[in-house]
Amino acid sequence: MMRGKAILKSFKETRNHDVLFEYGRLLEQQGWKCIPIEGGYLSPDGSTIFICMRTPYEGQLLQYSSGGEESYLSQVKAMVESGDFTE
């Protein structure tokens, strides 16, 4: 399902959990929805989830919907290109 792991750069470098929630709040401003039972923030198109509350995936972007691989890969590419994430 996943090709390479994209992880939030600032979390990878610091392992500070506060940065996960700060980034989550930023995503909420961009239309992502906090889904506590899933442990993260779901993208507006439902293809991608940013994990902030589920070990060992904290800080990672994961594919959320089985049919949304193309959208997920596009989302990951955009977020890596933004400089916020690294693979």
Side-chain angles (χ1 to χ4, degrees), residues 2-66:
M2 235 184 108
R3 297 179 194 163
K5 294 179 182 174
I7 187 165
L8 186 64
K9 242 188 226 183
S10 56
F11 178 70
K12 184 178 182 181
E13 293 166 357
T14 66
R15 291 295 172 189
N16 180 344
H17 287 81
D18 292 340
V19 301
L20 297 174
F21 296 101
E22 289 170 16
Y23 198 79
R25 285 191 287 278
L26 176 71
L27 290 175
E28 273 188 311
Q29 294 172 2
Q30 298 172 14
W32 292 54
K33 293 192 179 13
C34 182
I35 313 288
I37 197 159
E38 295 293 345
Y41 292 83
L42 184 62
S43 64
D45 69 1
S47 69
T48 309
I49 190 162
F50 169 67
I51 303 294
C52 57
M53 301 174 267
R54 195 163 274 189
T55 304
Y57 306 105
E58 293 160 313
Q60 292 182 27
L61 294 171
L62 301 176
Q63 184 176 338
Y64 189 73
S65 63
S66 60

